């Protein structure tokens, strides 16, 4: 029997945190101090991002609802696919065993109010092994570090996901020069085979994806 590796456990912790943040924002009445502190920290992060606090909150709620739809429909979809949301644009990445799962993931994402676009980068028939998954996690972590320490890049505005050596970027770049630096950092990392960017350059409309 062929073993299909699961995505790293950190994915579940991250998504659970997103759902918790959304619940704390929506909840009324008494709120635990820890939840308030967590929501406050997240609010500060969203305020610092180019998209602003209000849009950041909307994107967080969209992400939580997309994940809720997946869990209620089929937990395996939730376990194998990642979503990033920026300005109502939902980027889907990951690996699924059947094309039907890919179709369902997209359909369920479109059902969420506030979604303006669904960018489908889900791959079918996972051929990766545990080593590939580990390398993907390493690439994403290393790229995040490089963007953070680069003083000419506002790393907070970027979302990163890596699947089988393909780095997917999403977010808002200050200008084309900054985006070029981000791409260069990704290209220089070991194990990276391709870069797909859904990053929008600030003050430009209709930025299209580009692969390298």
């Amino acid at each position: 029997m062929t073993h299909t590796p699961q995505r790293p456990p950190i994915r579940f912790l991250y998504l659970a945190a997103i759902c918790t943040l959304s619940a704390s924002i929506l909840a009324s009445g008494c709120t635990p101090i820890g939840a308030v502190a967590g929501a406050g920290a997240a609010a500060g992060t969203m305020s610092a991002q180019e998209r602003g606090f209000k849009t950041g909150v909307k994107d967080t709620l969209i992400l939580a609802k997309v994940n809720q739809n997946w869990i209620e429909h089929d937990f395996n979809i939730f376990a194998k696919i990642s979503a990033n949301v920026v300005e109502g644009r939902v980027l889907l990445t990951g690996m699924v065993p059947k094309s039907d799962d890919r179709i369902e993931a997209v359909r369920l994402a479109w059902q969420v109010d506030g979604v303006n676009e669904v960018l489908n980068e889900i791959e079918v028939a996972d051929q990766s092994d545990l080593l590939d998954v580990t390398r993907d996690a390493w690439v994403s972590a290393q790229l995040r570090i490089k963007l953070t320490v680069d003083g000419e890049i506002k790393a907070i505005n970027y979302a990163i996901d890596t699947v089988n050596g393909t780095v997917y970027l999403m977010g808002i770049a200050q200008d084309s020069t900054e985006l070029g630096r981000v791409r260069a950092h990704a290209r220089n990392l070991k194990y990276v085979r391709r870069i797909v960017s859904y990053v929008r350059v600030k003050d430009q409309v209709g930025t299209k994806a580009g692969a390298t």
Side-chain angles (χ1 to χ4, degrees):
M1 181 176 68
T2 302
H3 173 67
T4 302
Q6 299 292 322
R7 301 294 292 172
I10 193 171
R11 176 184 306 280
F12 302 105
L13 298 176
Y14 173 76
L15 293 177
I18 289 293
C19 292
T20 301
L21 168 61
S22 303
S24 67
I25 293 174
L26 292 174
S28 59
C30 294
T31 305
I33 294 176
V36 172
T45 298
M46 288 186 290
S47 296
Q49 292 175 347
E50 203 62 54
R51 57 182 167 172
F53 174 75
K54 184 176 180 180
T55 301
V57 169
K58 288 181 179 179
D59 287 342
T60 300
L61 296 178
I62 288 173
L63 176 59
K65 290 173 183 176
V66 168
N67 284 313
Q68 180 181 354
N69 283 357
W70 288 346
I71 291 172
E72 292 178 351
H73 179 79
D74 184 347
F75 188 83
N76 286 327
I77 291 179
F78 168 77
K80 294 179 181 295
I81 300 175
S82 291
N84 279 303
V85 185
V86 177
E87 297 180 323
R89 303 166 72 218
V90 184
L91 171 61
L92 305 182
T93 58
M95 303 287 293
V96 293
K98 302 179 297 182
S99 59
D100 286 350
D101 294 332
R102 187 174 188 265
I103 294 170
E104 280 301 292
V106 173
R107 182 183 68 82
L108 292 167
W110 269 119
Q111 287 184 353
V112 176
D113 290 340
V115 172
N116 301 320
E117 183 179 7
V118 175
L119 306 166
N120 183 9
E121 292 289 351
I122 301 169
E123 299 181 31
V124 178
D126 192 353
Q127 299 298 319
S128 64
D129 55 24
L130 183 58
L131 180 59
D132 293 324
V133 173
T134 302
R135 285 175 174 174
D136 288 344
W138 181 87
V139 167
S140 293
Q142 289 299 307
L143 182 54
R144 173 58 62 190
I145 292 171
K146 287 182 177 296
L147 300 192
T148 300
V149 299
D150 188 329
E152 297 184 37
I153 295 175
K154 292 189 68 173
I156 197 172
N157 289 323
Y158 293 87
I160 304 166
D161 198 15
T162 308
V163 180
N164 281 354
T166 297
V167 176
Y168 296 94
L169 301 171
M170 194 173 187
I172 305 172
Q174 296 299 297
D175 50 42
S176 57
T177 300
E178 182 189 78
L179 179 55
R181 292 183 67 86
V182 172
R183 285 177 173 272
H185 282 308
R187 277 196 304 269
N188 291 331
L189 283 173
K190 196 174 181 180
Y191 309 124
V192 172
R193 297 184 302 155
R194 191 166 68 109
I195 302 164
V196 176
S197 173
Y198 286 104
V199 176
R200 179 177 71 81
V201 177
K202 185 179 178 182
D203 298 329
Q204 288 185 8
V205 179
T207 303
K208 295 183 179 180
T212 58

